Amino acid sequence: MDYDRKSNVSSFYGGRKGSIDALNTEFPATTAPERHRDDASSFYNPEQPPRGSMDPLNASTAGYNRSSFFHAGREEPLKGGRDEEEAAANQVGEGIWDVYADFNNTGPRYSTAFGVGQSEKGYQQLPPSTPKPEEDKDSSNPVEMVTVPALGPEWGRSEMRDMTKAGRREKKASSRREKLKAWNRGERGICGKYFTRKSIVIGVFCLCAVAAIVLGFTIPRVPAFSFNDTTPLVAATGDWNKTIPTYFNRSPANFSFPAFASLQVNTDSNYLPVHFKYIKATVYDLDTGMLVGVGDYGEHTLPAKSFPEILLPLNFTYVAVNSSDQTWANWDQACENTILATDGVRIPLKFTLVLDMSIVGLPSTHQASTQISDAACPIELSASNS
């Protein structure tokens, strides 16, 4: 075509290039000499005014010139301007070109290379997919969904051992040992971060100190006992005098009489009152060691930090074979009538007093003893009885 022989560059700027046919070529007149131009001169329009011209009507620029392009045909879309993609989606195979027909199996095949697409058996259009209807949730026979665990490796011997009671006991014992080691190293406490080994040692030390102080003030001490220097034995009075009969007999040799032991108790070492469950006394002859009397003070409470005096009731009773018994003779001469005594002075009584006591707050019984070598007899026999 003649349009193909035109220069695209020259047509873009409005210039025209002559035909290459030598018979139809129009040569310009040679009246005026022209300057030499190279092949690129077709890029310019020789008839247009220079660029420096001030004529706005004939001025030409290198802008877009639509008339210089070849008219390729009509510009409206195919088939009345319909949307080909939408039509292809609805009506595949009705004379509309589908570029994906050879690949997606949804339309006619245009390629017949290697015999593909020539047979209808080689291509079958898939029917349109229909959505699966949802099942009614309120159906009479609901489907129970069961979760099946994934298949995994079999249980090992150690895992089967851990699932037994013995295995669980071993794990618990191992956990306790680890916790004990961590506690022994001071890394943890019995209750989390509390009661660590250091805090327990300090707490036990403080508790022991406080307990020692408290016990030092509250634990009772065994008091000390001493006799009255002037009258160790006092004659019985009141009900005690009426309870025990008084007599000395030679045949058979025996004696019996009541009396009180005048004692002084030292409770200065106690901070709290001393409570006695009982105080029991036994009296032995100092020369022969024979038991000559007993007594019981009963349950009493004595004040602390003091020196209270008490009267311990004693029952002096002794039985001998005859009057030649040394024990009976000692006590008979000490208690005889002063008229019968030499120079009116009776011999003193010599005995040992042993006290057995039980104090509240002490785990066992305690014993205290004292000796008297110059005690006067608390009774005086009649001249006929001596």
Side-chain angles (χ1 to χ4, degrees):
M1 298 176 62
D2 189 35
Y3 292 99
D4 295 336
R5 288 193 295 267
K6 293 182 179 294
S7 174
N8 291 334
V9 176
S10 59
S11 63
F12 180 82
Y13 291 98
R16 299 186 64 185
K17 187 177 181 180
S19 176
I20 60 175
D21 190 1
L23 298 177
N24 298 325
T25 301
E26 296 178 0
F27 295 96
T30 58
T31 55
E34 293 180 0
R35 62 180 181 177
H36 177 74
R37 293 190 305 177
D38 55 4
D39 295 335
S41 60
S42 61
F43 180 80
Y44 300 95
N45 186 6
E47 299 177 358
Q48 69 180 1
R51 292 184 179 182
S53 174
M54 298 300 295
D55 189 2
L57 298 177
N58 296 324
S60 177
T61 62
Y64 175 74
N65 189 0
R66 181 178 176 88
S67 61
S68 62
F69 284 94
F70 169 72
H71 182 64
R74 61 181 180 179
E75 297 180 359
E76 59 271 10
L78 296 175
K79 295 185 179 182
R82 291 182 301 171
D83 192 351
E84 289 81 359
E85 295 181 358
E86 182 180 357
N90 298 330
Q91 299 177 358
V92 178
E94 296 182 359
I96 300 176
W97 178 267
D98 187 3
V99 296
Y100 301 103
D102 291 332
F103 308 100
N104 56 9
N105 294 334
T106 59
R109 296 201 176 192
Y110 301 102
S111 175
T112 58
F114 306 102
V116 179
Q118 296 179 1
S119 175
E120 293 296 334
K121 296 180 180 180
Y123 169 73
Q124 295 180 0
Q125 183 176 356
L126 298 176
S129 60
T130 57
K132 184 178 180 180
E134 295 183 359
E135 297 181 355
D136 190 4
K137 296 182 180 180
D138 298 333
S139 60
S140 60
N141 296 324
V143 179
E144 182 180 2
M145 305 300 292
V146 179
T147 302
V148 180
L151 297 178
E154 296 181 354
W155 295 104
R157 181 176 298 177
S158 60
E159 295 174 334
M160 296 179 66
R161 172 69 177 175
D162 294 340
M163 289 186 292
T164 61
K165 292 184 178 180
R168 290 194 292 268
R169 285 196 299 267
E170 290 179 0
K171 291 181 67 176
K172 291 180 180 179
S174 177
S175 177
R176 286 193 294 267
R177 286 194 297 268
E178 293 297 330
K179 292 180 180 179
L180 181 60
K181 291 180 181 179
W183 178 83
N184 193 24
R185 292 191 295 265
E187 297 176 355
R188 58 162 296 159
I190 297 178
C191 299
K193 63 179 181 179
Y194 302 102
F195 300 105
T196 59
R197 188 180 67 168
K198 182 178 179 180
S199 61
I200 289 179
V201 170
I202 295 175
V204 170
F205 176 78
C206 295
L207 182 62
C208 292
V210 172
I213 295 173
V214 172
L215 292 177
F217 285 95
T218 57
I219 292 180
R221 278 80 170 175
V222 178
F225 292 85
S226 62
F227 277 96
N228 191 339
D229 295 336
T230 57
T231 55
L233 294 177
V234 180
T237 58
D239 295 338
W240 182 245
N241 187 26
K242 299 176 181 179
T243 304
I244 307 299
T246 302
Y247 60 86
F248 272 81
N249 297 323
R250 288 181 179 271
S251 180
N254 56 50
F255 65 86
S256 174
F257 65 92
F260 288 112
S262 180
L263 301 174
Q264 187 180 47
V265 185
N266 183 6
T267 60
D268 187 61
S269 60
N270 289 272
Y271 294 92
L272 298 176
V274 183
H275 182 73
F276 292 94
K277 293 181 180 179
Y278 61 85
I279 299 177
K280 295 180 179 181
T282 53
V283 182
Y284 299 92
D285 185 79
L286 187 59
D287 294 335
T288 61
M290 299 299 294
L291 178 65
V292 294
V294 293
D296 189 359
Y297 188 60
E299 184 177 358
H300 287 79
T301 300
L302 300 180
K305 297 293 181 179
S306 62
F307 298 89
E309 294 182 357
I310 63 173
L311 294 175
L312 178 63
L314 297 174
N315 179 14
F316 290 96
T317 302
Y318 181 74
V319 179
V321 177
N322 50 42
S323 60
S324 62
D325 185 82
Q326 183 63 36
T327 303
W328 183 87
N330 292 338
W331 286 84
D332 181 70
Q333 294 177 4
C335 296
E336 65 181 358
N337 195 287
T338 54
I339 298 175
L340 301 177
T342 305
D343 298 332
V345 178
R346 298 181 299 178
I347 64 175
L349 291 176
K350 298 178 181 179
F351 60 91
T352 301
L353 179 65
V354 179
L355 300 176
D356 294 322
M357 65 194 77
S358 176
I359 303 175
V360 175
L362 297 179
S364 60
T365 59
H366 295 270
Q367 190 177 78
S369 63
T370 183
Q371 293 180 355
I372 299 297
S373 59
D374 56 351
C377 184
I379 65 172
E380 185 177 354
L381 299 175
S382 61
S384 60
N385 195 17
S386 298

